[in-house]
Amino acid sequence: MFLFHGVITHFMQAEMLKEITDLSEEELERKRAIGSITTKTLSYLTQAFVTGGFNWILPVVFSKATDPLWPDPQASIEKRVEVEIYGREVRAMQSMIVHKITACSLLYGRLFTLSPNIRIERRDRAATGIHAYEFTQLDFEVRHASSRDIMKLVEDLLCGLIAHLRVEAKEELKLLGRDLSVPERPFRIYEVTGNEKEFCWVVNMPREFYDFEDFDTGKWDNYDLYLPGFGEVLSGSRREYEYQKIISKMERDGVRKESYKALLELAKSGRIKPTAGAGIGVERLIAWICGSKHVCEVQPFPRIPGFVGEL
Ligand code: AMP
Ligand code: MG
């Protein structure tokens, strides 16, 4: 059972949020169907990246440099996990953005990773149905890509995945009562909020220093993907790479420059390349595919904000 630390909310009693040790055989059956869809989804997506010439890099968990998640108005972190190891202060990974930009500049023109992210979300976020305090990002980056290149790549990837699962996960989708159809491309683009009933992009949002901002027009070259009836599943952007811009944004936002020494030194010597990329929330994508009411249902060991279980 989950220890209770916060406000009682409707989903707390929901069957889906029990730990696996408390599930009935019928509930385990549903969990297995979701697990099978997870396997098929990850298998399809990683294969698509590999055949597209992307290098698969392994994730990092503790680092001096992680996503500040600030000043993103969507962010709601209640605690940043900082620990000392070997005499140095490190943070648990909130996203591998800095590592992606660095590796995409120095190592591989195209890369992706399956990255565990730890974000101690405010406990009221448990009720959104789309927040976990540990989740996985399918995070990728491409050198010299434009936003439109990344959007097209994502649209093709998702449409391919849906078409694949309709055939290859027919039984699981039936058990879960889901009927998916492949959307039309290109998805529509909105500047503010989109139509909740369609796949759509939302662009031009002021947020963290690494998203590209045009200082003349005040426009941000970034994008979020929304899934119908669900919400945001992906965030991405073209990235900043010029030292002066990065520095001035960090100063403006009050971001600790000491945490980004490696990135700043590379940028100063012109070694950060223009890149663009995005991160897909794996649990959110699978929760949408499966029609889950809460993103934690797709986790074998649910990480619900405010609730710490035994496993
Ligand atoms: P971000 O760049 O912060 O938007 O994170 C990238 C993606 O990770 C988002 O679009 C979501 O799909 C996913 N994500 C972010 N925070 C959470 C969370 N607390 N629980 C589950 N997925 C998340
Ligand atoms: Mg986002």
Side-chain angles (χ1 to χ4, degrees):
M1 294 297 283
F2 288 104
L3 293 180
F4 170 61
H5 297 296
V7 225
I8 297 189
T9 42
H10 65 283
F11 61 86
M12 214 189 120
Q13 295 90 4
E15 304 295 291
M16 68 186 73
L17 298 177
K18 289 179 192 161
E19 297 203 78
I20 51 172
T21 46
D22 300 328
L23 297 179
S24 68
E25 190 45 45
E26 202 180 308
E27 290 162 350
L28 285 169
E29 208 47 56
R30 184 178 158 91
K31 198 88 173 176
R32 287 187 200 108
I34 294 172
S36 172
I37 287 181
T38 303
T39 302
K40 288 173 184 176
T41 297
L42 289 175
S43 166
Y44 179 87
L45 295 175
T46 53
Q47 191 58 42
F49 276 112
V50 171
T51 26
F54 284 70
N55 279 271
W56 189 344
I57 66 168
L58 293 173
V60 167
V61 171
F62 288 118
S63 176
K64 291 199 73 70
T66 191
D67 195 329
L69 297 178
W70 173 263
D72 182 350
Q74 305 256 52
S76 60
I77 301 301
E78 121 170 6
K79 177 178 182 163
R80 292 174 200 269
V81 178
E82 286 179 328
V83 285
E84 185 246 275
I85 53 172
Y86 309 118
R88 299 198 84 186
E89 288 292 328
V90 291
R91 284 185 168 186
M93 196 56 65
Q94 301 195 123
S95 100
M96 275 180 64
I97 183 66
V98 175
H99 299 79
K100 279 200 309 174
I101 294 173
T102 307
C104 194
S105 296
L106 301 184
L107 287 174
Y108 313 113
R110 295 165 163 250
L111 61 85
F112 76 100
T113 182
L114 280 166
S115 160
N117 288 183
I118 294 146
R119 299 188 186 175
I120 312 305
E121 303 280 0
R122 281 198 325 257
R123 49 202 81 188
D124 60 288
R125 288 276 160 135
T128 63
I130 58 169
H131 289 88
Y133 67 83
E134 286 180 32
F135 64 95
T136 305
Q137 270 200 69
L138 178 53
D139 220 351
F140 63 95
E141 199 71 18
V142 181
R143 201 183 290 164
H144 300 307
S146 68
S147 291
R148 194 55 242 168
D149 295 337
I150 302 295
M151 287 158 127
K152 179 165 189 317
L153 185 155
V154 169
E155 289 172 1
D156 291 347
L157 199 61
L158 275 191
C159 290
L161 173 67
I162 294 168
H164 175 79
L165 291 177
R166 278 174 62 87
V167 178
E168 300 298 329
K170 207 174 177 170
E171 287 309 309
E172 296 90 323
L173 290 169
K174 197 169 143 205
L175 188 145
L176 297 165
R178 286 295 274 174
D179 185 18
L180 302 177
S181 43
V182 180
E184 300 243 329
R185 278 165 278 179
F187 304 162
R188 289 177 67 173
I189 301 176
Y190 296 90
E191 285 254 340
V192 196
T193 45
N195 174 350
E196 281 190 4
K197 295 202 170 77
E198 61 180 2
F199 288 77
C200 67
W201 295 101
V202 176
V203 297
N204 185 21
M205 295 151 287
R207 55 189 185 201
E208 290 89 347
F209 71 83
Y210 49 78
D211 279 14
F212 192 92
E213 179 184 359
D214 185 325
F215 280 180
D216 294 327
T217 61
K219 290 221 170 201
W220 290 69
D221 194 358
N222 56 16
Y223 36 87
D224 280 0
L225 178 66
Y226 280 71
L227 297 178
F230 187 84
E232 176 200 327
V233 72
L234 165 151
S235 284
S237 77
R238 180 152 74 96
R239 315 298 184 188
E240 297 289 4
Y241 60 95
E242 288 174 55
Y243 177 73
Q244 272 313 332
K245 280 187 82 183
I246 298 175
I247 281 282
S248 69
K249 290 174 85 177
M250 284 181 172
E251 287 174 353
R252 179 184 74 189
D253 300 342
V255 166
R256 295 200 294 214
K257 282 182 276 186
E258 331 65 274
S259 303
Y260 303 99
K261 257 171 120 170
L263 180 77
L264 288 170
E265 272 167 31
L266 284 170
K268 197 169 191 174
S269 55
R271 296 181 75 205
I272 295 295
K273 303 269 180 6
T275 67
I280 301 174
V282 172
E283 291 82 353
R284 286 194 192 174
L285 176 60
I286 294 165
W288 173 78
I289 292 168
C290 296
S292 293
K293 291 203 183 65
H294 200 287
V295 77
C296 295
E297 189 193 16
V298 315
Q299 298 181 300
F301 308 103
R303 265 51 190 144
I304 309 160
F307 301 91
V308 175
E310 297 301 323
L311 289 171

